[in-house]
Amino acid sequence: DAKTTQPTSMDCAEGRAANLPCNHSTISGNEYVYWYRQIHSQGPQYIIHGLKNNETNEMASLIITEDRKSSTLILPHATLRDTAVYYCIVRVYNAGNMLTFGGGTRLMVKP
Amino acid sequence: GAVVSQHPSWVICKSGTSVKIECRSLDFQATTMFWYRQFPKQSLMLMATSNEGSKATYEQGVEKDKFLINHASLTLSTLTVTSAHPEDSSFYICSVPSSGANVLTFGAGSRLTVL
């Protein structure tokens, strides 16, 4: 799986958009970008994934650059409950494959 | 995605005893489940892949005789920490692959404290 680089931590004001970047410059053509988050003392939670097109769901938006070497997860209106560690993971789409977690970005949403 | 139930959510035990953690896939038949471990302020590390009806596959450095995994049915995998020691104190999390979107659904985790 391609390696990802994320900032260690970020702050965001409550109600504002949180933009979490991820670099994956060695991504290969058949690898997807997945985002998960882990709220303190809980198991990780799936957020969104994409291949090359931008994606949006009820939780977030995923913007992938045209060269696919980086992406940004956007939480449009961050709340205090969005405080968590966010993991960007790149891997081949293959049902049953495990995930390899990096350090992630610790997002602190402040009132 | 799948609905995953993990039990117990926390457990405290004495050194030398064994602890069993259960992971149940409530609405999805899982031939494979994954067990992760997370130490404080660290990321999740894959311990082993649990395979229904066959032996688990362990990651390098994980002792298979210490961390016994049983996946006897399509909805249940168990992790038993045998002869637990304080250094085994950690957050253990299971996950189940869902069909379709190729997403992993995680249990809520089990926090083990060995005294």
Side-chain angles (χ1 to χ4, degrees):
Chain A
D1 294 343
K3 181 179 177 180
T4 62
T5 304
Q6 299 177 252
T8 304
S9 64
M10 292 181 62
D11 289 345
C12 176
E14 186 179 19
R16 304 296 294 268
N19 297 292
L20 293 94
C22 180
N23 286 322
H24 31 79
S25 59
T26 59
I27 191 171
S28 58
N30 61 347
E31 288 183 311
Y32 284 66
V33 181
Y34 285 79
W35 283 84
Y36 284 75
R37 73 179 182 183
Q38 185 179 24
I39 295 171
H40 183 63
S41 294
Q42 297 183 24
Q45 175 191 23
Y46 165 78
I47 301 173
I48 199 168
H49 75 283
L51 180 63
K52 56 182 179 180
N53 297 322
N54 297 337
E55 301 288 344
T56 296
N57 62 21
E58 65 278 5
M59 290 183 68
S61 294
L62 174 60
I63 308 298
I64 302 175
T65 58
E66 192 170 343
D67 63 7
R68 303 207 324 121
K69 292 185 177 181
S70 65
S71 61
T72 301
L73 178 74
I74 301 172
L75 307 178
H77 305 287
T79 70
L80 299 179
R81 287 178 292 183
D82 292 321
T83 293
V85 178
Y86 287 77
Y87 297 98
C88 169
I89 301 168
V90 173
R91 69 179 180 100
V92 175
Y93 187 99
N94 186 356
N97 273 2
M98 81 295 184
L99 293 173
T100 301
F101 288 83
T105 296
R106 185 172 299 277
L107 175 69
M108 179 74 72
V109 181
K110 298 183 175 180
Chain B
V3 178
V4 179
S5 174
Q6 191 171 339
H7 178 81
S9 55
W10 60 270
V11 57
I12 301 173
C13 71
K14 293 182 179 180
S15 186
T17 61
S18 295
V19 175
K20 179 185 286 187
I21 300 169
E22 294 186 347
C23 180
R24 294 184 183 275
S25 176
L26 300 183
D27 62 348
F28 180 75
Q29 293 187 325
T31 57
T32 301
M33 294 186 185
F34 302 106
W35 286 96
Y36 288 82
R37 179 170 55 182
Q38 185 176 35
F39 291 108
K41 298 188 184 300
Q42 295 186 22
S43 190
L44 287 82
M45 295 296 295
L46 180 67
M47 297 177 64
T49 302
S50 173
N51 303 301
E52 187 267 336
S54 64
K55 293 181 179 180
T57 305
Y58 291 82
E59 295 300 300
Q60 190 172 9
V62 178
E63 301 175 56
K64 59 181 175 65
D65 294 330
K66 180 170 183 62
F67 298 99
L68 301 180
I69 291 174
N70 183 282
H71 193 156
S73 78
L74 290 172
T75 59
L76 174 64
S77 175
T78 61
L79 169 67
T80 301
V81 183
T82 63
S83 185
H85 291 284
E87 57 266 30
D88 298 323
S89 297
S90 188
F91 192 50
Y92 293 87
I93 312 167
C94 70
S95 65
V96 175
S98 301
S99 63
N102 195 32
V103 167
L104 281 187
T105 301
F106 289 82
S110 299
R111 186 164 301 283
L112 170 64
T113 301
V114 184
L115 302 177

